């Protein structure tokens, strides 16, 4: 499903040249559950941004669902991000003035769905996350766990083939974090490919494989007891 070959990413910060990724080779199959771990500055976030088509590599080749991302224009990439990939972030990234329902509808709006279909699909996603009763609340009126459930509902609403989660439990207490990880696990069992970036060993252990990054390179790949293959 994902193929990265010799992915290099350079940044120029003023006159300082930073190589964030130094030749990453990685393959992720459909339905895999992968955790990306590593110390701060190891390239985790950069790799996540490239996998999520939020950033382009300096060199190397990235194929997503058989298509070379380098060949895609900005409109194509935006469509890929909206349809194929669901994003879940540590900060939830919900619009504060909108209800949870309206937040979940946003990807459907980009996809051109009509108002009735948006309402129906968003309600289904909120229901699946167990927070349909909070649909008309704003983010400030619900708990952190409910915010993250809404963010996952939003990530899911277009039925993406890939969910990218960046420290999804980072702002949650351990019980709530565990519930969010249970949700990601059940989505994966339903066939969704899940990639989690984390520095938390407990989060990593839920995945089938852990990719350890160090200095912009894959240091090792570890199969966990959750390895389904």
């Amino acid at each position: 499903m994902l193929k990265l070959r010799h992915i290099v990413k350079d940044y120029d910060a003023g006159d300082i040249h930073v190589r964030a990724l130094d030749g990453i080779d990685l393959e992720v199959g459909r339905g895999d559950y992968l955790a990306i771990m590593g110390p701060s500055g190891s390239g985790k976030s950069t790799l996540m941004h490239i996998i999520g088509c939020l950033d382009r590599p300096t060199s190397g080749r990235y194929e997503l669902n058989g298509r070379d991302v380098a060949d895609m224009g900005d409109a194509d990439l935006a469509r890929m991000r909206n349809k194929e990939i669901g994003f879940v972030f540590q900060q939830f990234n919900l619009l504060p003035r909108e209800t949870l329902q309206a937040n979940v509808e946003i990807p459907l709006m980009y996809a051109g769905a009509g108002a009735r279909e948006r309402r129906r699909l968003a309600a289904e996603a909120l229901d699946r996350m167990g927070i349909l009763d909070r649909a008309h609340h704003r983010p400030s009126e619900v708990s952190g766990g409910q915010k993250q459930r809404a963010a996952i509902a939003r990530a899911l609403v277009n039925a993406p083939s890939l969910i990218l989660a960046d420290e999804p439990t980072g702002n949650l207490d351990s019980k709530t974090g565990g519930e969010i990880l249970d949700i990601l696990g059940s989505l994966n069992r339903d066939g969704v490919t899940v990639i989690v970036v984390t520095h938390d060993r407990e989060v990593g252990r839920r995945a089938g494989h852990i990719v350890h990054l160090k200095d912009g390179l894959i240091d090792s790949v570890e199969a966990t007891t959750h390895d389904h293959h």
Side-chain angles (χ1 to χ4, degrees):
M1 178 177 184
L2 305 180
K3 258 191 195 161
L4 293 95
R5 287 279 175 271
H6 313 307
I7 294 288
V8 172
K9 182 66 186 180
D10 293 328
Y11 290 106
D12 286 315
D15 47 7
I16 302 170
H17 183 70
V18 178
R19 176 152 286 189
L21 297 175
D22 197 15
I24 296 275
D25 288 314
L26 183 63
E27 278 190 36
V28 181
R30 198 169 293 282
D32 283 358
Y33 188 160
L34 188 74
I36 298 172
M37 298 191 70
S40 233
S42 59
K44 296 193 301 288
S45 297
T46 306
L47 182 56
M48 178 68 118
H49 283 141
I50 285 173
I51 290 173
C53 301
L54 297 166
D55 202 352
R56 293 177 185 266
T58 306
S59 65
R61 183 180 169 90
Y62 173 32
E63 278 180 29
L64 177 56
N65 288 336
R67 292 185 62 193
D68 187 346
V69 172
D71 295 341
M72 292 186 208
D74 290 342
D76 258 1
L77 279 179
R79 204 162 35 244
M80 187 72 113
R81 279 197 299 270
N82 188 51
K83 284 295 295 173
E84 292 294 325
I85 305 170
F87 296 94
V88 180
F89 303 97
Q90 179 176 348
Q91 279 81 18
F92 319 125
N93 290 15
L94 298 167
L95 299 176
R97 292 199 181 84
E98 301 289 346
T99 62
L100 298 188
Q101 169 90 23
N103 268 286
V104 174
E105 283 185 25
I106 290 166
L108 294 164
M109 230 153 167
Y110 284 132
R116 277 178 61 183
E117 192 190 2
R118 288 205 304 269
R119 270 201 301 277
R120 180 179 66 80
L121 289 170
E124 277 175 18
L126 287 164
D127 193 26
R128 185 171 179 185
M129 290 299 112
I131 52 168
L132 187 55
D133 59 335
R134 295 285 186 269
H136 301 295
H137 290 59
R138 292 193 169 80
S140 60
E141 300 166 336
V142 302
S143 69
Q146 288 166 337
K147 285 192 195 59
Q148 194 57 295
R149 283 167 186 262
I152 294 173
R154 181 187 56 193
L156 277 184
V157 77
N158 266 337
S161 50
L162 172 65
I163 291 219
L164 290 181
D166 195 355
E167 300 284 3
T169 60
N171 278 335
L172 305 172
D173 62 77
S174 59
K175 178 180 177 294
T176 311
E179 288 167 7
I180 295 301
L181 292 174
D182 289 343
I183 289 170
L184 290 175
S186 82
L187 292 173
N188 177 245
R189 284 191 295 279
D190 290 346
V192 179
T193 308
V194 178
I195 299 179
V196 177
V197 168
T198 183
H199 64 264
D200 183 337
R201 183 82 202 154
E202 283 304 301
V203 176
R205 280 194 20 236
R206 298 283 195 115
H209 286 84
I210 302 175
V211 172
H212 294 276
L213 290 189
K214 192 176 169 188
D215 303 329
L217 281 162
I218 292 178
D219 193 39
S220 63
V221 178
E222 166 193 356
T224 67
T225 49
H226 282 264
D227 185 7
H228 307 298
H229 296 292

